[in-house]
Amino acid sequence: MPWNRITSGLAIATLGIGAQAATLASDDFDANALGLNSVPAGWTVTDGTVDIIGTSFSGTSFNLVPGNGAYIDLDGSSGNAGLLSRTFTLTGGVEYTAAFDLAGSHRGSTETGTVTFGTASLDYEIASAVGFTGYSLSFTPGSTGDYALTFQNAGGNNVGALLDNVSVTFTSAVPEPGTWALTVAGLMLVALRSRRRR
């Protein structure tokens, strides 16, 4: 087999490496116990409170948007909306996307607030009757380190926007099925050809 055919086979094999979205974290809040002024597992709440409401496996509580399990009321029951945050260790130069669902308060008020992810931010304004709607926010850190994803509802009247289905994903280079086998076979052919020449 001519040398150029062998090297062409190796080039084709390396082209089989593609990009695939990988999930760094996800939370639908269903594993949390319902409660006013509660902190969901894995998260931090500062400068006020949030509530975990909705339906959970233990039954029904303050359920404003039925059929969505447990979710977060971003303005708890203390008269002071808390800053809900979670910190992630991110790799510099990699693009990360935070996806989440927000809904209106379902209690007659239009809610505003801000979502931040690293240095990226998104301001929201959601009418009361709006159901859960998907949003996303992308961020590429300049260097490897810890970065926060935060949710802050404006106001402090115990009525906030609702949050559910938070996930953080990134794109990683992943070999397609069969790529490794083709690459190894190509390397073996190169070694065999080199050995025959001696």
Side-chain angles (χ1 to χ4, degrees):
M1 177 181 282
W3 178 259
N4 63 349
R5 286 188 190 167
I6 294 172
T7 55
S8 296
L10 288 175
I12 291 170
T14 58
L15 289 176
I17 297 177
Q20 179 176 335
T23 301
L24 180 63
S26 64
D27 198 346
D28 62 6
F29 305 107
D30 288 346
N32 292 275
L34 304 181
L36 303 180
N37 302 326
S38 297
V39 179
W43 294 80
T44 302
V45 179
T46 56
D47 302 326
T49 59
V50 301
D51 296 334
I52 304 172
I53 61 175
T55 302
S56 73
F57 298 111
S58 62
T60 302
S61 184
F62 195 37
N63 195 5
L64 303 169
V65 190
N68 291 283
Y71 45 89
I72 305 298
D73 176 348
L74 289 170
D75 191 345
S77 298
S78 64
N80 192 16
L83 176 72
L84 177 69
S85 65
R86 185 165 175 179
T87 301
F88 302 95
T89 301
L90 306 181
T91 303
V94 175
E95 182 180 45
Y96 295 85
T97 300
F100 47 92
D101 294 344
L102 289 172
S105 69
H106 286 71
R107 288 166 281 177
S109 61
T110 295
E111 296 302 317
T112 60
T114 303
V115 181
T116 66
F117 186 30
T119 58
S121 67
L122 170 75
D123 293 329
Y124 62 82
E125 181 174 325
I126 305 173
S128 176
V130 173
F132 279 110
T133 304
Y135 294 82
S136 66
L137 186 58
S138 293
F139 168 62
T140 303
S143 61
T144 299
D146 291 339
Y147 297 90
L149 171 62
T150 70
F151 298 87
Q152 176 73 69
N153 201 78
N157 59 356
N158 299 340
V159 175
L162 308 176
L163 171 69
D164 203 2
N165 301 319
V166 179
S167 67
V168 175
T169 59
F170 62 97
T171 302
S172 64
V174 176
E176 294 177 2
T179 299
W180 288 116
L182 185 57
T183 302
V184 170
L187 289 173
M188 289 175 67
L189 284 173
V190 169
L192 181 61
R193 177 72 177 151
S194 176
R195 187 174 178 187
R196 283 186 179 173
R197 283 188 167 182
R198 288 184 204 156

